[in-house]
Amino acid sequence: MTGPSQAPERVLPTPTRRRLARVLLVLGIVLIAANLRPAIAATATVLDSITGDLSLSGAAAGTLTTLPVLFFGLCGPAAPVLVRRLGIERTLALALAAIAAASALWLAGSTTVLFAGTVLVGAGAAVGNVLLPVLVRRDFPDRAGLVSGLYTTALASAAALAAAVTVPLGDAIGYGWPGALAVWGLLALAALVIWTPQLRRSARLPDDAPSGPGGVTRLLRDRLAWQVTGLMGLQALSYHTTLAWLPSVFTDAGLDRATAGVLLSVAGFVAIPVSLVLPTLAARRPDQRGWIVLLTAFTAAGLLGLLIAPTAAPYLWVILLGLGQGPIFPLTLTIIVLRSRTAEDTIALSTMAQSVGFVIAAAGPLTLGLLRTATGTWTAGVALLLALLAPQLLTGLASARDRHIASRPK
């Protein structure tokens, strides 16, 4: 006699499995992006508490706001080197682990671990900054605008959420700013769990593909690559300087800390719908110069209002800033994809633009902090941000034309 028959194991059809795998990949990309900015936005909203608790000087506070952006640039070139050794998927897992470790360090609440954790966050986010456009180019070449819009929207949404809830969250936890910052490590751990199935792929670059400085060297004489790099650096300088100091501008003008955090979050939230659809709209046309002009105009209007009368219409100023500064980052990432023909070209251009660009951007938060210390007001700093929109517009117009960087010779 034969034993009882066993029901055959249900196997999903191959097309269904492929669709599920792609959905899981997109979800993982979105969650990685959601971890690239919250810690920075959260730090800005509790900066007054940190400086008071740890007795930080103005220069030290400025350095704290600068470190993440600086390490975005300094650690960017490590991304393709790590990819060659570990593969893209495992390198991104390592980046998430670094962000989670930084959050755990912050629980100690000392000056040393505060700065060490900030460096770790900058290093981990740098890898994500460089590699997410590469994943989009490699795995979604026909949906680059859509997927770019999804993950940059997640990036902006998470930063806005962190700005809005960090202060009340810290009060609710009852462990001050260390607890308020450390809680964001849970988001990194969640992303790491969702990303784990991708580790089986861990695709590496071909042996002859550009890696690290060698992959960027060929672009150093490419005018378009430098124009894209200039756009990346200047828009990042404007955004991250505002992210770091906008709450302090409002508190110095007389608003309370919680309201200042809400205003920063409003700037992030109004950018979300535009950031979601803009990459798709931009990718439909070979030329993106009209978008560059419009977003720069919004930013200029917001900064001008902040300069003249910060408390006269603060919600209007942050809405204008959000509409200008928020969407221009996903537009720049989309331009990186559109100005390159292959995944190898994309990783080279992404590495150059984000490494050099974020080093340029790192000067912004520190410079504004120093100007505030030297003059006692934010007037000079905000005026400087307004003036820097001119070169941002010029590099943006040059980057947005229908051209491609020079491909690596076969």
Side-chain angles (χ1 to χ4, degrees):
M1 295 180 62
T2 59
S5 59
Q6 294 181 347
E9 182 180 354
R10 183 180 179 184
V11 179
L12 292 175
T14 298
T16 302
R17 281 183 288 166
R18 288 176 179 170
R19 284 194 293 270
L20 287 174
R22 286 175 70 81
V23 168
L24 192 60
L25 175 59
V26 171
L27 179 60
I29 290 172
V30 166
L31 285 175
I32 290 171
N35 278 278
L36 302 184
R37 297 296 183 274
I40 302 172
T43 300
T45 61
V46 295
L47 188 59
D48 289 346
S49 297
I50 292 173
T51 54
D53 189 25
L54 300 179
S55 300
L56 297 182
S57 65
T63 301
L64 181 65
T65 62
T66 298
L67 276 178
V69 187
L70 179 62
F71 274 80
F72 285 175
L74 295 180
C75 295
V81 176
L82 289 170
V83 167
R84 183 176 293 280
R85 293 179 176 272
L86 303 175
I88 294 177
E89 288 76 12
R90 290 176 184 170
T91 301
L92 286 169
L94 183 63
L96 288 172
I99 294 171
S103 300
L105 280 176
W106 281 327
L107 282 172
S110 71
T111 302
T112 301
V113 298
L114 173 66
F115 279 85
T118 302
V119 168
L120 268 179
V121 164
V127 172
N129 288 337
V130 171
L131 293 185
L132 287 182
V134 180
L135 275 181
V136 172
R137 164 59 71 186
R138 188 195 71 182
D139 293 332
F140 303 95
D142 299 327
R143 297 288 186 270
L146 174 61
V147 179
S148 295
L150 287 173
Y151 88 72
T152 52
T153 298
L155 188 151
S157 301
L161 181 64
V165 306
T166 296
V167 171
L169 190 62
D171 294 340
I173 293 173
Y175 198 62
W177 64 262
L181 295 182
V183 74
W184 296 104
L186 298 176
L187 182 61
L189 291 176
L192 192 56
V193 170
I194 296 297
W195 190 247
T196 299
Q198 306 301 329
L199 302 183
R200 291 174 294 183
R201 299 174 67 197
S202 202
R204 301 179 182 180
L205 290 175
D207 290 339
D208 61 345
S211 174
V216 174
T217 300
R218 66 184 175 85
L219 297 182
L220 296 180
R221 296 184 180 180
D222 191 304
R223 178 177 296 180
L224 176 57
W226 278 109
Q227 290 164 345
V228 174
T229 299
L231 172 62
M232 174 61 76
L234 290 166
Q235 65 82 25
L237 184 152
S238 181
Y239 172 80
H240 285 284
T241 303
T242 303
L243 183 66
W245 291 117
L246 188 62
S248 296
V249 172
F250 283 124
T251 54
D252 279 6
L255 301 182
D256 63 85
R257 200 160 51 96
T259 301
V262 169
L263 285 165
L264 180 60
S265 73
V266 168
F269 282 123
V270 298
I272 290 171
V274 185
S275 298
L276 180 60
V277 300
L278 181 56
T280 300
L281 295 176
R284 289 178 179 174
R285 298 180 62 87
D287 189 300
Q288 295 77 40
R289 283 178 288 184
W291 293 111
I292 293 290
V293 173
L294 180 62
L295 299 182
T296 304
F298 278 134
T299 303
L303 288 174
L304 190 60
L306 200 64
L307 178 67
I308 296 173
T311 59
Y315 283 93
L316 176 59
W317 310 148
V318 297
I319 288 171
L320 289 168
L321 286 173
L323 291 174
Q325 292 179 329
I328 201 167
F329 177 64
L331 177 62
T332 304
L333 292 179
T334 304
I335 285 174
I336 288 175
V337 175
L338 295 176
R339 300 290 89 85
S340 52
R341 292 186 175 91
T342 66
E344 288 79 10
D345 288 346
T346 303
I347 197 170
L349 182 57
S350 182
T351 301
M352 176 177 173
Q354 300 205 51
S355 299
V356 178
F358 279 119
V359 169
I360 294 171
L366 181 60
T367 300
L368 253 71
L370 293 175
L371 285 173
R372 168 66 179 82
T373 301
T375 65
T377 72
W378 293 103
T379 302
V382 176
L384 176 62
L385 290 181
L386 194 57
L388 288 175
L389 290 180
Q392 176 182 310
L393 177 63
L394 293 176
T395 55
L397 291 174
S399 302
R401 289 183 292 168
D402 182 19
R403 296 177 297 159
H404 293 92
I405 61 169
S407 293
R408 184 172 59 98
K410 299 295 185 182

